[in-house]
Amino acid sequence: MNNLIAVQTILEQYQAVRQLTETICAPLMIEDYVVQPMADVSPPKWHIGHVTWFFETFVLVPHKKGYKVFNEQYPFVFNSYYESAGARILRTNRGNLTRPSVEDIYKYRAYVDEHMKEWLSTTALTEALHDLVTIGLHHEQQHQELLFTDIKYILGTNPLLPKYKDAAPIEQVTSLSNEWLPVEQGNYQIGHQGDGFFYDNEQGVHQVYLHDYQIQDRLVTNGEFIEFVEAGGYQQFQHWLSAGWVWVKENQATQPLYWYKIDGEWHHYKLSGLEKINPYEPVTHVNFYEASAFALWSGKRLPTEFEWEIACRHYAPTIANEANFSDDGHLHPIPQQNGHHQLYGDVWEWTNSSYLPYPYYKKAEGALGEYNGKFMIDQMVLRGGSCATSRNHIRPTYRNFFPTHSNWQFMGFRLAMSL
Amino acid sequence: MNNLIAVQTILEQYQAVRQLTETICAPLMIEDYVVQPMADVSPPKWHIGHVTWFFETFVLVPHKKGYKVFNEQYPFVFNSYYESAGARILRTNRGNLTRPSVEDIYKYRAYVDEHMKEWLSTTALTEALHDLVTIGLHHEQQHQELLFTDIKYILGTNPLLPKYKDAAPIEQVTSLSNEWLPVEQGNYQIGHQGDGFFYDNEQGVHQVYLHDYQIQDRLVTNGEFIEFVEAGGYQQFQHWLSAGWVWVKENQATQPLYWYKIDGEWHHYKLSGLEKINPYEPVTHVNFYEASAFALWSGKRLPTEFEWEIACRHYAPTIANEANFSDDGHLHPIPQQNGHHQLYGDVWEWTNSSYLPYPYYKKAEGALGEYNGKFMIDQMVLRGGSCATSRNHIRPTYRNFFPTHSNWQFMGFRLAMSL
Amino acid sequence: MNNLIAVQTILEQYQAVRQLTETICAPLMIEDYVVQPMADVSPPKWHIGHVTWFFETFVLVPHKKGYKVFNEQYPFVFNSYYESAGARILRTNRGNLTRPSVEDIYKYRAYVDEHMKEWLSTTALTEALHDLVTIGLHHEQQHQELLFTDIKYILGTNPLLPKYKDAAPIEQVTSLSNEWLPVEQGNYQIGHQGDGFFYDNEQGVHQVYLHDYQIQDRLVTNGEFIEFVEAGGYQQFQHWLSAGWVWVKENQATQPLYWYKIDGEWHHYKLSGLEKINPYEPVTHVNFYEASAFALWSGKRLPTEFEWEIACRHYAPTIANEANFSDDGHLHPIPQQNGHHQLYGDVWEWTNSSYLPYPYYKKAEGALGEYNGKFMIDQMVLRGGSCATSRNHIRPTYRNFFPTHSNWQFMGFRLAMSL
Amino acid sequence: MNNLIAVQTILEQYQAVRQLTETICAPLMIEDYVVQPMADVSPPKWHIGHVTWFFETFVLVPHKKGYKVFNEQYPFVFNSYYESAGARILRTNRGNLTRPSVEDIYKYRAYVDEHMKEWLSTTALTEALHDLVTIGLHHEQQHQELLFTDIKYILGTNPLLPKYKDAAPIEQVTSLSNEWLPVEQGNYQIGHQGDGFFYDNEQGVHQVYLHDYQIQDRLVTNGEFIEFVEAGGYQQFQHWLSAGWVWVKENQATQPLYWYKIDGEWHHYKLSGLEKINPYEPVTHVNFYEASAFALWSGKRLPTEFEWEIACRHYAPTIANEANFSDDGHLHPIPQQNGHHQLYGDVWEWTNSSYLPYPYYKKAEGALGEYNGKFMIDQMVLRGGSCATSRNHIRPTYRNFFPTHSNWQFMGFRLAMSL
């Protein structure tokens, strides 16, 4: 756990994280909690039940004496993918369940929170138990990010394009830096070291050799991506990976998700509603194929996750105030401020690295071993956190991962080149 | 329009029908209004918006001077299948829309109702306009039946099996009649004659020749269907149509929809909750394949729609009090009372007739020509209305129609045999 | 069996039918025997094995003493849909099997033919056995027609459009009759009566009442269908059944199968190769949706199968010399000759009747009960035989049946109207 | 080009490679050339046309003066995936084409061979042209391997399990080595250096840092894999990647492709027919999921492609006589001989590395740029060649790649562990 919340007790942390989930959902209408417009999106009410089930199943049931589960049928509904934790509804059926109702799920939250409070207030946690609660909190923070992006998909694919909520105002900019950050060749250390929370997929600290390279000092912008679109980028197979070109054809893709050309001007749907595209903002909601095609078209390439991590450690060892997280209330990437490198926040940055285990990675025993390890195939690594990530959730070694076609997260990219 | 409501003014009729829709929805939680667990089911909020859109689009917009549509985007959301009425969301996307909210749709209803009231109160309707409003009311009655069955599917496929509402109590019976109703060979008149409302698919009065036959004097029961199930009916290809056997295999079907064997006893989900199966009740939620397989297994056959209609006209020219409609509050077929023939109400009865036009059928011009005619292929006719039909909606010539695999309506059957 | 072949002994009939199958295949290259470019098409080598398996399984094995099956594994490969006859490869896998080779299958044919010859030469057939052999011959004649149409699909969807073989020359015509054949209202007898072979689906002789109607005195032509195409018929939803419009959209259909517009002129692929469309020829390779849309567009309708049968019995009680069958070597419908009504041959005529059992129909016991009865759902009836049918295979009561979307048979239609 | 063929002129090389393709096809019946039982498999006749089209399109048309293409329609049929080379039939339609016939395709080969011979005999090749012809030869060698594996799939999924041809006899062994080959940590050079042919995906020579590890001194065997199968490996989710477990469930996988348990004993289909499994042979036809599950079950892991390459360079810098290639006629992996490390030949070895570009990789311009680069996503790297690879085709830096679910190639694996 990084220092922003390390000063809190574990109970304070628990209460802060749990409260934030409810704050995120506050603007929703009951209807918004229920649907699943594509398989990757979960209904908000499922998210808030699932994160609660996580504490009930992995903390309260095994560790709080005399704890009685709230409802015997909820585990079937709220288990996501833990084979060890028993049967569960098909992922694609989440959006068919109207019950438990939102109200009942909030009662479930309150019940579990009450028991967690009692237990955390009266129990001297072993390190293992402390870590378990902490993983539950980070797990919930991940679902908070999914709540933002799933809510965006639910509202942003609705023909009425309803607003989720107003965004914090941003400072207008009219120019951007345009430099490259060089890194010298040599052996570098990768993976999480030192104190603080980290996921098991960052484990396996190891050396990598990097050749001379440089990396953009900011994110690729909407303005730059519009050039690609208007140069016919989506019509020219040359720039695309073979699977990417299949994706373009099958989806008749001609522009990023949520973009609309209205009366000759580019608009996009943001959580604050439909608006004209600001060319200085980082481009987002592009999938790996789109990022890769842009990079090839521009004669550059995407960085590897190792290049990204080392550049980040060197050029942005700590998180600057300019970094744009969910805490900042923009809920959208913002234009570069004061030459800020944008390595943290704004958008998850696609890298050209597959999500694979580090050399010394060991899958944990039991259900928590299913947390990360079993997904280490056919996904690409993204780094740095986004405008929907909590500021205290991110670190330079954090590895996010999604399949190549995913675009509903706040995903963007920066370019790199070998020297 | 039959005599039960003919004594009312058209405005009174309008208000009664519109009110019933809201009464049906009253027990729902907001969540229940939103989902679409299979393509054939529509979210309740879509139904209540769609029937309102029908009046707005086909009555108010063309006929009420100065009428302003409630929301320019609603037609895109609430058009069902009228090509003439413009673009519309994909049917399978209905369950992805959280907005307009339930509250907004009720406002839409109130707005349209207000305008309809004003217009109906102040306009001397031509016969054509009277017919148009009447068709809108019958259309809404059809959606009332779909509301019952879609709500049943939404709640009945939820792992919590929540109750919709309590059912009116029924009288217990311990025996059933077991006779056959004979009809003599000869030419008979088919199709709607006389006064009162009817759909265009009943039009084209014509003669058919029927050979001697007899038809069961009641519906096939749960008890009889359990025999079929327990005799291995779902495991023996001999009884099934080829397409039916494919359906059995692909769906691993072993019993009707909503049936569960719990501790050795057959239960089913009803709108009043899970309960033990009453063997004297008519079987329901069987598709055409299941009805046909039972018939073949029992050495009999299903009647044609013509055989059904003539038997109905002869043996049940008027609707008896014992007939079980949605007005009666059982919301499930009930055991035969007093030897009642069950030709009206309880379940829609599968016939062995395809839904095809009558000899003199003419498709109407314009959007209303899309009401029935374009569906006259690859569907089977069902007759008689169900426990979810309004008593004043049905008549002997009424032709309902569904594809062979459909089982989520209150569908059942009776047997027939040639002599 | 009708009189053309009744003068032959059953062995002579057997040898004639079996020989024709091989004659049909003679122009094929080995490669052409193997593929299955869509699920409904079977590889020619499968057909010639399957019809042989039919005689082996239903005649030789049960009835010829000491008969030893040619290869124990062939039944698995060559059973089509007889559940009673054991397991079989998936229909869609037929085109994946390179073995048994064409040569081996011809050896299989020779082996079975030898045994059949021996058995037929030395056995006094009971009537039941005579009927069984006869059904095997008619079964093989049906597969001969499928051979023509499957070969056409295999070659006609190949980008090289190879010719199957030259067609017999036709007499050019420059005008057509344009009359209607009236039938008076009354009760009529439907179904097969008298001597000669018939399928069980023609069984159940019964009366139907027909209202006054008239039917075209010839088939709808290419020239007339081109008018529909060029009037935008495939772009206007009004003419189409709802399911037909879905078919148009999903298949981006703009014209019949095998039609091409080349340099502004309509061409089509025939078994004799690509050529300019003759407007006087009957249109063919249209599915039910296309026939129905044309009929609605033209303000007429399709006849029912009963209307067709009675008109046929009245206006064409016997098969004229002008009737165009596979025996005539055109392998394509030909322009009307001498005012011939074209009720037999040329194209199977879509009717507006569903394929359902006649009143007194009884499914036979055992495997042959699977021949027709289990397909009596969700298919439409076609009448009259085609240019790919053997002249001695057809009769006025013959009921062919295909699903609404099928267009790879020689399917066409004529119009009807009520009076 | 490695030294085995470097002593030949380019024409001799051309003729040797082209001849081998025909030798591979010699045992086929015409039928075997035509089908495509799954999307990844191409009909043999397509392969032999495609490799010919490659020389015609990329060598003869642009470089041989006055060359006239054999048939204007062949490029549409025989282009595989080169967008730059124009339209082409859908990959999944390859198995629907009976024409061009096998005979015509051999004529096409002869025509192109004649022109190539003339051109190679009379032209002083620039280095670029020499490289172009060489790439064409290596391309054909790749298709030779696909011919073996596609033929195996075509015959091995046929219920008759026909033999392709007899295999060269092998020496029986009754024990195997069981050692680990250690490699010390440090920086190592990866990628192709020096003379000889290599693909562009080996380009981008660069350093990687490897931690201490060791790798098995032989391949995992059938005997070892049977232990996994019989210990319930396919029934226990714990060993599987999440996507792998989905694959197991969807395919109801319980053992490797081509394995059968007959009367309690494990058999498998080999190109020489069905036989009892030899436990000392390397396991093959396992996909990445199966390899990964076995590795996790055994407490080890798969090596990365870098670990494999460095171990290979160190422990097997040259190809031993014991290495089992297509030249050796076994057409199946063979038991370890004389402690041979089996790094070359036998089976392609799955590594835990994704197929991604090396740091300095540059996609070539034009059609050949489509050869490898556009596939660098969502595939895993395999190393070392197989029993279906030509001995002169392989080298330590050779990178093969397939999606995780692929199992129809001769794929196997060895284990590794960090120290």
Side-chain angles (χ1 to χ4, degrees), chain B residues 19-33:
Chain B
Q19 178 53 50
L20 180 56
T21 299
E22 304 193 10
T23 303
I24 292 169
C25 292
L28 299 184
M29 305 192 74
I30 297 291
E31 294 87 336
D32 301 327
Y33 279 96

Side-chain angles (χ1 to χ4, degrees), chain D residues 26-97:
Chain D
L28 298 184
M29 305 190 73
I30 297 291
E31 294 88 336
D32 301 327
Y33 279 95
V34 184
V35 303
Q36 181 175 30
M38 71 155 176
D40 287 338
V41 164
S42 293
K45 81 189 184 79
W46 185 88
H47 282 298
I48 64 177
H50 166 69
V51 292
T52 303
W53 166 86
F54 191 99
F55 284 111
E56 179 176 74
T57 303
F58 299 126
V59 179
L60 293 176
V61 168
H63 301 298
K64 180 160 191 286
K65 219 188 307 196
Y67 179 78
K68 204 170 148 298
V69 297
F70 181 72
N71 183 318
E72 296 286 352
Q73 295 181 285
Y74 280 20
F76 180 74
V77 173
F78 291 122
N79 181 359
S80 53
Y81 56 68
Y82 296 87
E83 303 275 350
S84 334
R88 59 195 181 284
I89 57 156
L90 281 181
R91 182 186 181 108
T92 46
N93 276 348
R94 288 178 191 164
N96 295 334
L97 299 191

Side-chain angles (χ1 to χ4, degrees), chain B residues 117-128:
Chain B
K117 182 180 167 186
E118 191 181 309
W119 183 70
L120 288 172
S121 310
T122 60
T123 311
L125 297 191
T126 61
E127 196 184 321

Side-chain angles (χ1 to χ4, degrees), chain B residues 168-405:
Chain B
I170 57 165
E171 225 168 307
Q172 291 310 319
V173 306
T174 54
S175 74
L176 301 168
S177 73
N178 207 1
E179 301 297 319
W180 295 82
L181 308 174
V183 174
E184 258 188 46
Q185 63 176 42
N187 289 337
Y188 291 93
Q189 203 81 357
I190 291 292
H192 190 267
Q193 308 166 54
D195 296 336
F197 176 83
F198 62 97
Y199 282 120
D200 65 349
N201 59 15
E202 300 161 60
Q203 168 199 305
V205 176
H206 64 288
Q207 281 191 61
V208 298
Y209 182 87
L210 299 180
H211 288 261
D212 289 333
Y213 69 100
Q214 57 187 19
I215 198 169
Q216 259 185 311
D217 71 340
R218 60 161 174 80
L219 295 162
V220 169
T221 63
N222 285 330
E224 290 163 333
F225 208 84
I226 287 172
E227 280 181 59
F228 172 68
V229 170
E230 305 206 326
Y234 283 80
Q235 286 77 48
Q236 296 156 1
F237 70 84
Q238 293 87 340
H239 318 309
W240 297 81
L241 289 163
S242 179
W245 190 239
V246 169
W247 174 84
V248 167
K249 293 292 197 183
E250 284 185 357
N251 294 277
Q252 300 174 35
T254 55
Q255 63 217 41
L257 177 65
Y258 301 131
W259 282 32
Y260 303 90
K261 197 159 198 175
I262 302 172
D263 298 333
E265 288 199 279
W266 286 106
H267 290 66
H268 58 169
Y269 174 77
K270 301 167 80 162
L271 280 164
S272 52
L274 187 71
E275 56 182 64
K276 236 182 267 180
I277 287 182
N278 179 342
Y280 297 103
E281 275 173 17
V283 67
T284 188
H285 299 304
V286 288
N287 65 22
F288 179 82
Y289 299 131
E290 292 166 295
S292 153
F294 180 94
L296 191 54
W297 172 78
S298 69
K300 306 293 185 304
R301 61 175 177 80
L302 299 177
T304 65
E305 64 167 321
F306 309 113
E307 290 171 337
W308 190 97
E309 183 170 323
I310 298 309
C312 179
R313 279 192 181 287
H314 190 75
Y315 290 102
T318 58
I319 304 179
N321 284 340
E322 286 87 352
N324 170 27
F325 289 107
S326 69
D327 317 58
D328 301 298
H330 300 299
L331 298 181
H332 203 82
I334 60 171
Q336 189 192 33
Q337 310 282 324
N338 311 320
H340 173 240
H341 293 329
Q342 302 179 306
L343 284 152
Y344 303 103
D346 283 318
V347 294
W348 286 103
E349 301 183 31
W350 285 110
T351 71
N352 213 44
S353 293
S354 286
Y355 180 52
L356 292 170
Y358 286 172
Y360 298 103
Y361 175 73
K362 269 276 175 252
K363 208 175 103 168
E365 295 291 311
L368 292 180
E370 298 186 51
Y371 200 93
N372 275 312
K374 73 181 183 182
F375 299 112
M376 289 178 175
I377 193 67
D378 284 342
Q379 313 218 41
M380 300 305 281
V381 173
L382 302 100
R383 294 296 197 108
S386 83
C387 58
T389 310
S390 284
R391 182 175 284 263
N392 64 20
H393 183 70
I394 202 68
R395 56 203 163 268
T397 57
Y398 195 108
R399 305 173 79 197
N400 202 352
F401 49 92
F402 279 97
T404 41
H405 66 273

Side-chain angles (χ1 to χ4, degrees), chain C residues 343-391:
Chain C
L343 284 151
Y344 302 102
D346 283 318
V347 293
W348 286 102
E349 302 183 31
W350 284 110
T351 71
N352 212 46
S353 293
S354 286
Y355 180 53
L356 292 171
Y358 285 171
Y360 298 102
Y361 175 74
K362 269 276 174 253
K363 209 175 102 168
E365 295 292 311
L368 291 180
E370 299 187 52
Y371 200 94
N372 274 312
K374 73 181 184 182
F375 300 112
M376 289 180 174
I377 193 68
D378 285 341
Q379 314 219 41
M380 300 304 280
V381 173
L382 302 101
R383 293 297 196 109
S386 83
C387 58
T389 310
S390 284
R391 182 174 284 262

